[in-house]
Amino acid sequence: MTKSTATTVRRSAAPLTEQRAHEIQAFGSVLPMPIALAEDTRRASADNLNQLVADTITLRDLYKKHHWQVSGPTFYQLHLLFDKHFNEQSELVDLIAERIMVLGGVSVAMSADVAEMTIVPRPPKGREEVPVQISRLLHAHEIVLEEARAMARKAANEGDDGTNDILVSNVIRTNEMQVWFVAEHLVDAPLVRADGNGAG
Ligand SMILES: [Fe+2]
């Protein structure tokens, strides 16, 4: 009878905490993924989408900041609207990040890394007036829309239809709709008495 060379593993109910090991995939790398897209195409899309997810996470968090810090007569409607847009941006973040993983890439995730990557300007920690809050949101939306359109065209040209679809159907259309809802709050329209209606 031969003696087994297998090591006996003693199991325990104790949790094995504080484990650390090397990364299994480096940020910026692309693994083989059998989705019939060339590695160069998947790498280009993943790199672009990482910039987009960093900017979308920042825009999402800008909405939550303004949801908490909004003030004035439109407090309630903006408090609710900002949170609705935060939730819609959260869904976009998940879609974009998971598309990066589908392509074989690694999605940026943590706020410190996002802060290094985003091109959306950093707001102050303190509170700002509603018109300033809204102006910041519109500027961030325009950054996202400009880069998303360029990325969508590039993805389409390279045959990455899945990425193009997410960019056009989800990212661009959601951001355009949110811009409309937010921008209307900067129209200087009378609340009670119509302009020119006081003569008679
Ligand atoms: Fe809330």
Side-chain angles (χ1 to χ4, degrees):
M1 198 171 107
T2 56
K3 189 178 172 186
S4 169
T5 55
T7 307
T8 303
V9 178
R10 293 182 193 281
R11 301 285 181 194
S12 159
L16 305 173
T17 62
E18 297 188 27
Q19 301 195 54
R20 299 287 184 276
H22 58 83
E23 291 180 342
I24 58 172
Q25 184 183 357
F27 182 74
S29 67
V30 172
L31 295 179
M33 196 61 80
I35 56 172
L37 279 177
E39 182 177 325
D40 285 352
T41 300
R42 292 185 291 107
R43 185 186 305 279
S45 288
D47 287 349
N48 281 338
L49 292 178
N50 258 316
Q51 182 60 52
L52 185 68
V53 83
D55 295 329
T56 301
I57 288 170
T58 306
L59 173 55
R60 177 198 68 185
D61 293 349
L62 202 53
Y63 268 113
K64 194 59 114 175
K65 169 181 167 65
H66 292 166
H67 165 74
W68 293 327
Q69 298 183 355
V70 67
S71 58
T74 55
F75 170 86
Y76 189 57
Q77 72 186 70
L78 286 178
H79 181 68
L80 298 182
L81 180 68
F82 289 164
D83 217 25
K84 177 175 183 285
H85 286 193
F86 168 87
N87 289 323
E88 291 168 359
Q89 290 290 333
S90 276
E91 288 180 19
L92 291 180
V93 167
D94 199 43
L95 262 178
I96 302 164
E98 290 181 356
R99 181 66 193 172
I100 294 168
M101 304 310 295
V102 165
L103 293 165
V106 181
S107 175
V108 67
M110 301 305 292
S111 56
D113 301 317
V114 168
E116 284 179 2
M117 289 174 62
T118 186
I119 56 173
V120 174
R122 179 178 179 176
K125 287 182 185 155
R127 299 173 76 185
E128 293 184 295
E129 294 170 342
V130 162
V132 180
Q133 291 184 315
I134 291 179
S135 296
R136 286 189 185 282
L137 292 168
L138 292 175
H139 182 50
H141 276 298
E142 199 151 34
I143 288 171
V144 166
L145 281 165
E146 189 174 1
E147 66 189 0
R149 286 205 196 93
M151 291 171 190
R153 278 192 291 273
K154 191 163 189 292
N157 288 339
E158 298 198 10
D160 186 354
D161 298 325
T163 294
N164 174 268
D165 183 43
I166 286 172
L167 289 168
V168 174
S169 303
N170 300 105
V171 176
I172 292 174
R173 291 175 66 172
T174 300
N175 276 274
E176 286 176 341
M177 186 66 106
Q178 291 189 354
V179 165
W180 178 35
F181 272 76
V182 169
E184 283 298 321
H185 290 85
L186 286 189
V187 176
D188 193 9
L191 268 178
V192 175
R193 189 187 301 271
D195 281 342
N197 198 29

